mmCIF file of all heavy atoms in Angstrom:
data_model
loop_
_atom_site.group_PDB
_atom_site.id
_atom_site.type_symbol
_atom_site.label_atom_id
_atom_site.label_comp_id
_atom_site.label_asym_id
_atom_site.label_seq_id
_atom_site.Cartn_x
_atom_site.Cartn_y
_atom_site.Cartn_z
ATOM 1 N N VAL W 670 106.994 15.327 5.420
ATOM 2 C CA VAL W 670 106.250 14.185 5.852
ATOM 3 C C VAL W 670 105.429 14.610 7.192
ATOM 4 O O VAL W 670 104.414 14.136 7.510
ATOM 5 C CB VAL W 670 107.359 13.101 6.208
ATOM 6 C CG1 VAL W 670 106.722 11.939 7.142
ATOM 7 C CG2 VAL W 670 107.994 12.586 4.944
ATOM 8 N N GLU W 673 102.360 16.311 6.128
ATOM 9 C CA GLU W 673 101.286 15.307 5.743
ATOM 10 C C GLU W 673 100.602 14.585 6.933
ATOM 11 O O GLU W 673 99.515 14.423 6.780
ATOM 12 C CB GLU W 673 102.109 14.181 4.873
ATOM 13 C CG GLU W 673 101.217 13.020 4.551
ATOM 14 C CD GLU W 673 99.924 13.296 3.723
ATOM 15 O OE1 GLU W 673 99.951 14.486 3.092
ATOM 16 O OE2 GLU W 673 99.031 12.471 3.755
ATOM 17 N N ASP W 674 101.442 14.422 8.003
ATOM 18 C CA ASP W 674 100.786 13.899 9.179
ATOM 19 C C ASP W 674 99.751 14.859 9.749
ATOM 20 O O ASP W 674 98.767 14.469 10.084
ATOM 21 C CB ASP W 674 102.015 13.603 10.201
ATOM 22 C CG ASP W 674 101.283 12.751 11.382
ATOM 23 O OD1 ASP W 674 100.520 11.817 11.050
ATOM 24 O OD2 ASP W 674 101.774 12.978 12.489
ATOM 25 N N VAL W 675 100.086 16.136 9.778
ATOM 26 C CA VAL W 675 99.082 17.282 10.169
ATOM 27 C C VAL W 675 97.848 17.165 9.194
ATOM 28 O O VAL W 675 96.693 17.269 9.684
ATOM 29 C CB VAL W 675 99.697 18.526 10.085
ATOM 30 C CG1 VAL W 675 98.813 19.651 10.516
ATOM 31 C CG2 VAL W 675 100.958 18.651 11.155
ATOM 32 N N ARG W 676 98.071 17.148 7.921
ATOM 33 C CA ARG W 676 96.928 16.995 7.042
ATOM 34 C C ARG W 676 96.089 15.837 7.270
ATOM 35 O O ARG W 676 94.811 15.989 7.248
ATOM 36 C CB ARG W 676 97.612 16.925 5.545
ATOM 37 C CG ARG W 676 96.255 17.088 4.520
ATOM 38 C CD ARG W 676 96.901 16.331 3.311
ATOM 39 N NE ARG W 676 97.019 14.890 3.480
ATOM 40 C CZ ARG W 676 96.095 14.025 3.783
ATOM 41 N NH1 ARG W 676 95.018 14.338 3.640
ATOM 42 N NH2 ARG W 676 96.475 12.712 3.854
ATOM 43 N N HIS W 677 96.713 14.783 7.623
ATOM 44 C CA HIS W 677 95.887 13.605 7.887
ATOM 45 C C HIS W 677 94.946 13.825 8.980
ATOM 46 O O HIS W 677 93.687 13.392 9.025
ATOM 47 C CB HIS W 677 96.747 12.287 8.083
ATOM 48 C CG HIS W 677 96.041 11.142 8.502
ATOM 49 N ND1 HIS W 677 95.378 10.345 7.607
ATOM 50 C CD2 HIS W 677 95.936 10.477 9.698
ATOM 51 C CE1 HIS W 677 94.773 9.296 8.349
ATOM 52 N NE2 HIS W 677 95.072 9.449 9.591
ATOM 53 N N HIS W 678 95.550 14.391 10.147
ATOM 54 C CA HIS W 678 94.606 14.620 11.350
ATOM 55 C C HIS W 678 93.465 15.568 11.009
ATOM 56 O O HIS W 678 92.325 15.519 11.437
ATOM 57 C CB HIS W 678 95.470 15.134 12.416
ATOM 58 C CG HIS W 678 96.487 14.115 12.924
ATOM 59 N ND1 HIS W 678 96.000 12.933 13.542
ATOM 60 C CD2 HIS W 678 97.806 14.066 13.107
ATOM 61 C CE1 HIS W 678 97.047 12.078 13.887
ATOM 62 N NE2 HIS W 678 98.149 12.862 13.621
ATOM 63 N N GLU W 681 90.797 13.739 9.065
ATOM 64 C CA GLU W 681 90.037 12.981 9.990
ATOM 65 C C GLU W 681 88.922 13.842 10.664
ATOM 66 O O GLU W 681 87.833 13.354 10.814
ATOM 67 C CB GLU W 681 90.972 12.273 11.078
ATOM 68 C CG GLU W 681 91.672 11.184 10.493
ATOM 69 C CD GLU W 681 92.606 10.331 11.671
ATOM 70 O OE1 GLU W 681 92.820 11.072 12.620
ATOM 71 O OE2 GLU W 681 92.804 9.217 11.311
ATOM 72 N N PHE W 761 105.561 8.989 2.304
ATOM 73 C CA PHE W 761 104.096 9.012 2.674
ATOM 74 C C PHE W 761 103.414 7.791 2.682
ATOM 75 O O PHE W 761 102.716 7.479 3.647
ATOM 76 C CB PHE W 761 103.409 9.908 1.395
ATOM 77 C CG PHE W 761 103.536 11.376 1.536
ATOM 78 C CD1 PHE W 761 103.043 12.155 0.514
ATOM 79 C CD2 PHE W 761 104.268 11.925 2.554
ATOM 80 C CE1 PHE W 761 103.320 13.544 0.571
ATOM 81 C CE2 PHE W 761 104.444 13.434 2.562
ATOM 82 C CZ PHE W 761 104.014 14.078 1.625
ATOM 83 N N VAL W 762 103.773 6.968 1.765
ATOM 84 C CA VAL W 762 103.326 5.463 1.871
ATOM 85 C C VAL W 762 103.666 4.761 3.202
ATOM 86 O O VAL W 762 102.931 4.214 3.905
ATOM 87 C CB VAL W 762 103.693 4.643 0.630
ATOM 88 C CG1 VAL W 762 103.260 3.230 0.876
ATOM 89 C CG2 VAL W 762 103.052 5.177 -0.706
ATOM 90 N N THR W 763 104.967 4.863 3.451
ATOM 91 C CA THR W 763 105.571 4.239 4.721
ATOM 92 C C THR W 763 104.787 4.818 5.850
ATOM 93 O O THR W 763 104.472 4.175 6.912
ATOM 94 C CB THR W 763 106.987 4.494 4.762
ATOM 95 O OG1 THR W 763 107.679 3.999 3.622
ATOM 96 C CG2 THR W 763 107.456 3.872 6.020
ATOM 97 N N LEU W 764 104.471 6.267 5.929
ATOM 98 C CA LEU W 764 103.810 6.754 7.082
ATOM 99 C C LEU W 764 102.424 6.289 7.177
ATOM 100 O O LEU W 764 101.963 5.930 8.314
ATOM 101 C CB LEU W 764 103.789 8.445 6.900
ATOM 102 C CG LEU W 764 103.043 9.223 7.847
ATOM 103 C CD1 LEU W 764 103.621 9.082 9.311
ATOM 104 C CD2 LEU W 764 102.891 10.603 7.417
ATOM 105 N N ASP W 765 101.771 6.090 6.169
ATOM 106 C CA ASP W 765 100.392 5.560 6.054
ATOM 107 C C ASP W 765 100.361 4.099 6.523
ATOM 108 O O ASP W 765 99.499 3.696 7.348
ATOM 109 C CB ASP W 765 99.779 5.722 4.706
ATOM 110 C CG ASP W 765 98.358 5.358 4.669
ATOM 111 O OD1 ASP W 765 97.604 5.988 5.371
ATOM 112 O OD2 ASP W 765 97.998 4.470 3.903
ATOM 113 N N GLN W 766 101.381 3.314 6.015
ATOM 114 C CA GLN W 766 101.471 1.940 6.488
ATOM 115 C C GLN W 766 101.816 1.879 7.967
ATOM 116 O O GLN W 766 101.115 1.029 8.697
ATOM 117 C CB GLN W 766 102.482 1.231 5.684
ATOM 118 C CG GLN W 766 102.253 0.951 4.344
ATOM 119 C CD GLN W 766 103.391 0.314 3.514
ATOM 120 O OE1 GLN W 766 104.608 0.565 3.966
ATOM 121 N NE2 GLN W 766 103.152 -0.375 2.306
ATOM 122 N N THR W 767 102.601 2.711 8.566
ATOM 123 C CA THR W 767 102.931 2.677 9.902
ATOM 124 C C THR W 767 101.684 3.028 10.772
ATOM 125 O O THR W 767 101.372 2.372 11.747
ATOM 126 C CB THR W 767 104.046 3.759 10.246
ATOM 127 O OG1 THR W 767 105.138 3.402 9.455
ATOM 128 C CG2 THR W 767 104.353 3.587 11.733
ATOM 129 N N ARG W 768 100.849 3.917 10.185
ATOM 130 C CA ARG W 768 99.661 4.486 10.844
ATOM 131 C C ARG W 768 98.691 3.273 10.983
ATOM 132 O O ARG W 768 98.024 3.072 11.968
ATOM 133 C CB ARG W 768 99.214 5.708 10.332
ATOM 134 C CG ARG W 768 98.019 6.286 11.004
ATOM 135 C CD ARG W 768 97.416 7.600 10.356
ATOM 136 N NE ARG W 768 98.474 8.574 10.034
ATOM 137 C CZ ARG W 768 98.814 8.863 8.864
ATOM 138 N NH1 ARG W 768 98.360 8.234 7.745
ATOM 139 N NH2 ARG W 768 99.757 9.810 8.660
ATOM 140 N N ARG W 769 98.490 2.658 9.773
ATOM 141 C CA ARG W 769 97.301 1.677 9.597
ATOM 142 C C ARG W 769 97.828 0.372 10.373
ATOM 143 O O ARG W 769 96.830 -0.247 10.855
ATOM 144 C CB ARG W 769 97.056 1.482 8.182
ATOM 145 C CG ARG W 769 96.530 2.634 7.481
ATOM 146 C CD ARG W 769 96.272 2.320 6.004
ATOM 147 N NE ARG W 769 95.501 1.149 5.767
ATOM 148 C CZ ARG W 769 93.995 1.267 5.725
ATOM 149 N NH1 ARG W 769 93.496 2.482 5.780
ATOM 150 N NH2 ARG W 769 93.241 0.248 5.616
ATOM 151 N N ARG W 770 99.029 0.047 10.324
ATOM 152 C CA ARG W 770 99.398 -1.230 10.767
ATOM 153 C C ARG W 770 100.018 -1.294 12.153
ATOM 154 O O ARG W 770 100.568 -2.208 12.670
ATOM 155 C CB ARG W 770 100.372 -1.920 9.815
ATOM 156 C CG ARG W 770 99.899 -2.007 8.375
ATOM 157 C CD ARG W 770 100.913 -2.571 7.451
ATOM 158 N NE ARG W 770 100.436 -2.698 5.957
ATOM 159 C CZ ARG W 770 101.255 -3.015 4.944
ATOM 160 N NH1 ARG W 770 102.433 -3.500 5.147
ATOM 161 N NH2 ARG W 770 100.710 -2.857 3.759
ATOM 162 N N GLY W 771 99.952 -0.159 12.762
ATOM 163 C CA GLY W 771 100.476 -0.044 14.197
ATOM 164 C C GLY W 771 101.916 -0.251 14.332
ATOM 165 O O GLY W 771 102.439 -0.715 15.266
ATOM 166 N N GLY W 772 102.651 0.110 13.202
ATOM 167 C CA GLY W 772 104.108 0.086 13.266
ATOM 168 C C GLY W 772 104.654 -1.266 12.719
ATOM 169 O O GLY W 772 105.902 -1.335 12.510
ATOM 170 N N PHE W 773 103.908 -2.218 12.410
ATOM 171 C CA PHE W 773 104.371 -3.498 11.762
ATOM 172 C C PHE W 773 104.308 -3.472 10.342
ATOM 173 O O PHE W 773 103.221 -3.645 9.589
ATOM 174 C CB PHE W 773 103.554 -4.695 12.398
ATOM 175 C CG PHE W 773 103.640 -4.839 13.910
ATOM 176 C CD1 PHE W 773 102.541 -4.186 14.716
ATOM 177 C CD2 PHE W 773 104.608 -5.385 14.429
ATOM 178 C CE1 PHE W 773 102.607 -4.423 16.060
ATOM 179 C CE2 PHE W 773 104.667 -5.430 15.858
ATOM 180 C CZ PHE W 773 103.648 -5.015 16.659
ATOM 181 N N LEU W 774 105.409 -3.098 9.622
ATOM 182 C CA LEU W 774 105.490 -2.994 8.245
ATOM 183 C C LEU W 774 105.737 -4.290 7.510
ATOM 184 O O LEU W 774 105.120 -4.457 6.423
ATOM 185 C CB LEU W 774 106.722 -2.003 7.847
ATOM 186 C CG LEU W 774 106.540 -0.571 8.311
ATOM 187 C CD1 LEU W 774 107.579 0.314 7.803
ATOM 188 C CD2 LEU W 774 105.124 0.042 7.962
ATOM 189 N N LYS W 827 94.766 -2.115 1.208
ATOM 190 C CA LYS W 827 96.155 -1.539 1.604
ATOM 191 C C LYS W 827 97.068 -2.639 2.420
ATOM 192 O O LYS W 827 98.228 -2.501 2.334
ATOM 193 C CB LYS W 827 96.069 -0.234 2.340
ATOM 194 C CG LYS W 827 95.634 0.880 1.334
ATOM 195 C CD LYS W 827 95.654 2.101 2.199
ATOM 196 C CE LYS W 827 95.168 3.432 1.328
ATOM 197 N NZ LYS W 827 95.169 4.595 2.204
ATOM 198 N N GLU W 828 96.346 -3.338 3.282
ATOM 199 C CA GLU W 828 96.971 -4.312 4.138
ATOM 200 C C GLU W 828 97.580 -5.367 3.268
ATOM 201 O O GLU W 828 97.146 -5.646 2.161
ATOM 202 C CB GLU W 828 96.107 -4.809 5.145
ATOM 203 C CG GLU W 828 95.197 -3.664 5.791
ATOM 204 C CD GLU W 828 95.864 -2.485 6.419
ATOM 205 O OE1 GLU W 828 97.102 -2.301 6.416
ATOM 206 O OE2 GLU W 828 95.170 -1.469 6.665
ATOM 207 N N TYR W 929 100.982 1.615 -4.202
ATOM 208 C CA TYR W 929 101.209 1.479 -2.766
ATOM 209 C C TYR W 929 102.286 0.585 -2.367
ATOM 210 O O TYR W 929 103.116 0.921 -1.491
ATOM 211 C CB TYR W 929 99.947 1.164 -2.204
ATOM 212 C CG TYR W 929 99.791 1.379 -0.724
ATOM 213 C CD1 TYR W 929 99.426 2.589 -0.130
ATOM 214 C CD2 TYR W 929 99.959 0.378 0.134
ATOM 215 C CE1 TYR W 929 99.349 2.879 1.217
ATOM 216 C CE2 TYR W 929 99.930 0.533 1.625
ATOM 217 C CZ TYR W 929 99.498 1.841 2.114
ATOM 218 O OH TYR W 929 99.338 2.070 3.456
ATOM 219 N N TRP W 1073 98.637 12.996 -3.144
ATOM 220 C CA TRP W 1073 99.994 12.558 -3.482
ATOM 221 C C TRP W 1073 100.245 12.462 -4.974
ATOM 222 O O TRP W 1073 101.230 12.554 -5.412
ATOM 223 C CB TRP W 1073 100.220 11.046 -2.862
ATOM 224 C CG TRP W 1073 99.918 10.934 -1.360
ATOM 225 C CD1 TRP W 1073 99.754 12.092 -0.443
ATOM 226 C CD2 TRP W 1073 99.866 9.801 -0.520
ATOM 227 N NE1 TRP W 1073 99.641 11.596 0.855
ATOM 228 C CE2 TRP W 1073 99.644 10.162 0.762
ATOM 229 C CE3 TRP W 1073 100.032 8.507 -0.869
ATOM 230 C CZ2 TRP W 1073 99.621 9.312 1.853
ATOM 231 C CZ3 TRP W 1073 99.754 7.555 0.264
ATOM 232 C CH2 TRP W 1073 99.576 8.043 1.657
#
Side-chain angles (χ1 to χ4, degrees):
V670 173
E673 170 62 19
D674 194 41
V675 173
R676 184 210 59 79
H677 174 78
H678 292 303
E681 283 184 334
F761 284 173
V762 171
T763 302
L764 177 66
D765 188 60
Q766 289 176 337
T767 303
R768 186 186 303 116
R769 295 178 60 89
R770 303 178 185 178
F773 298 99
L774 300 183
K827 291 182 178 182
E828 320 307 348
Y929 195 79
W1073 302 353

